[in-house]
Amino acid sequence: MLTERHLEIFIALAEEEHFGTAAQRVGITQPPLSQGLRRLEGLLGVRLFDRERGVSLTVEGTLLLPHARRALAALAELRETGAREHADGRRLRLGLTPEVPTNFAADVAASPVRAGGHARIDVVTASSAALLKDLVAGRLDIAVIRHPSVLHGLSAGRVILLPTWILTPAGRGNAGDALTSRLPVAVRPRAEAPAAHDLFVDTLAGRGRRVETVTVSDERAGLALVAAGQAVLITADSTLTATEVERRTPTDPPLPLRLRVAWDPRRPGSKETAETVRLIEDALTGMVAK
């Protein structure tokens, strides 16, 4: 494996043109320097130095030297960037399922920064299934997902219930009538959160209702169908509205949006991550209580 030490040896020897001086410069003795050079030449498959008359670069060594200098400089910059990130506070990579209302999402994302635990935050929106994959792969630190979901060895906090409303075309009667009408319920694709999708549909059907659904890409598309008199929509977004659309509270059965905050306890810093999860949960429950 090509290492930073190999690059340091190569550059020092090219500039000093003396084994002893180069070894002193990189802080090792001459034998390990010679051994490191041989390993580097073996990895690259070329001879870097002509040792017959002193120590001088071969043609191949001369061509590779600028690349080695750039690589070593890039590694140094990488360390400096990491040090700055550590000094400023660890960046938080947060994922949110799109069903989280916009005003909730803003407060949830800002809560760790306001608490002083993080100086920077990156927020992505994706389906619960995609967020879980990103957590397992280490591309996210924390994700707010729909419940229930298969966690694949991840941890998740308490289930948080967000109130929802039924959006119906104007003049369609009460909320119960809206759910038993001939209009289908607009839902997101099942693949985005299979278990949560099935629980939602089963809850609708649990009181003997005949449930028909129509798949939409997002809640805006669902709202358009409602406005056109072609569907009803269950949403946790209190601001989602349109002309000729009425908002009703579901009671029989209640249809809360179930959310959980998930993270990977196997990753470094899991204790600090769990504390951030608590902050996000508190932000969510605080928004619900308002």
Side-chain angles (χ1 to χ4, degrees):
M1 181 182 296
L2 181 63
T3 66
E4 185 177 3
R5 176 62 82 185
H6 289 136
L7 298 175
E8 291 175 339
I9 289 172
F10 176 35
I11 294 169
L13 193 54
E15 294 175 352
E16 301 295 341
E17 297 184 338
H18 187 277
F19 276 89
T21 307
Q24 186 176 10
R25 173 171 158 177
V26 298
I28 59 177
T29 59
Q30 186 171 329
L33 182 135
S34 299
Q35 185 180 38
L37 176 60
R38 287 195 298 271
R39 287 179 178 173
L40 177 59
E41 290 178 327
L43 286 169
L44 298 177
V46 296
R47 192 162 62 93
L48 298 173
F49 292 95
D50 185 350
R51 302 170 181 79
E52 294 181 359
R53 291 173 293 180
V55 182
S56 60
L57 285 167
T58 62
V59 173
E60 294 82 0
T62 301
L63 292 173
L64 290 173
L65 182 59
H67 297 283
R69 285 173 172 153
R70 285 196 293 270
L72 195 61
L75 290 171
E77 183 179 358
L78 180 65
R79 283 196 301 272
E80 291 174 4
T81 301
R84 287 195 299 270
E85 289 287 341
H86 179 74
D88 293 339
R90 187 173 64 86
R91 181 177 63 183
L92 176 66
R93 299 166 300 172
L94 174 65
L96 299 174
T97 185
E99 290 84 0
V100 177
T102 302
N103 56 333
F104 278 52
D107 272 6
V108 164
S111 60
V113 178
R114 287 198 300 257
H118 299 272
R120 293 180 57 188
I121 186 166
D122 294 335
V123 182
V124 299
T125 301
S127 69
S128 293
L131 294 176
L132 289 168
K133 289 180 181 178
D134 285 344
L135 282 175
V136 172
R139 291 186 290 268
L140 289 175
D141 300 308
I142 295 173
V144 180
I145 61 172
R146 291 181 64 186
H147 172 78
S149 293
V150 180
L151 295 176
H152 306 290
L154 301 171
S155 291
R158 63 184 184 272
V159 178
I160 299 172
L161 305 181
L162 269 61
T164 61
W165 292 267
I166 303 176
L167 302 186
T168 69
R172 287 282 178 167
N174 60 38
D177 292 337
L179 291 176
T180 56
S181 70
R182 295 181 179 180
L183 295 179
V185 179
V187 296
R188 296 178 66 87
R190 181 180 181 276
E192 293 187 357
H197 177 280
D198 291 347
L199 175 62
F200 175 78
V201 173
D202 289 346
T203 302
L204 287 178
R207 300 293 179 89
R209 292 180 171 89
R210 183 171 180 267
V211 181
E212 293 185 5
T213 61
V214 57
T215 301
V216 293
S217 58
D218 53 39
E219 288 193 339
R220 289 184 180 181
L223 180 63
L225 290 182
V226 177
Q230 298 175 11
V232 298
L233 174 69
I234 315 298
T235 179
D237 191 341
S238 61
T239 66
L240 196 65
T241 188
T243 304
E244 298 299 320
V245 170
E246 295 181 357
R247 177 181 298 272
R248 310 176 189 279
T249 302
T251 57
D252 183 25
L255 297 166
L257 173 62
R258 296 173 171 86
L259 300 176
R260 294 183 83 181
V261 186
W263 75 100
D264 191 342
R266 299 162 293 190
R267 300 236 167 236
S270 60
K271 182 178 179 181
E272 291 78 9
T273 300
E275 293 174 356
T276 303
V277 166
R278 180 182 56 79
L279 290 173
I280 293 174
E281 289 178 334
D282 290 345
L284 276 170
T285 53
M287 291 289 290
V288 173
K290 290 182 179 179

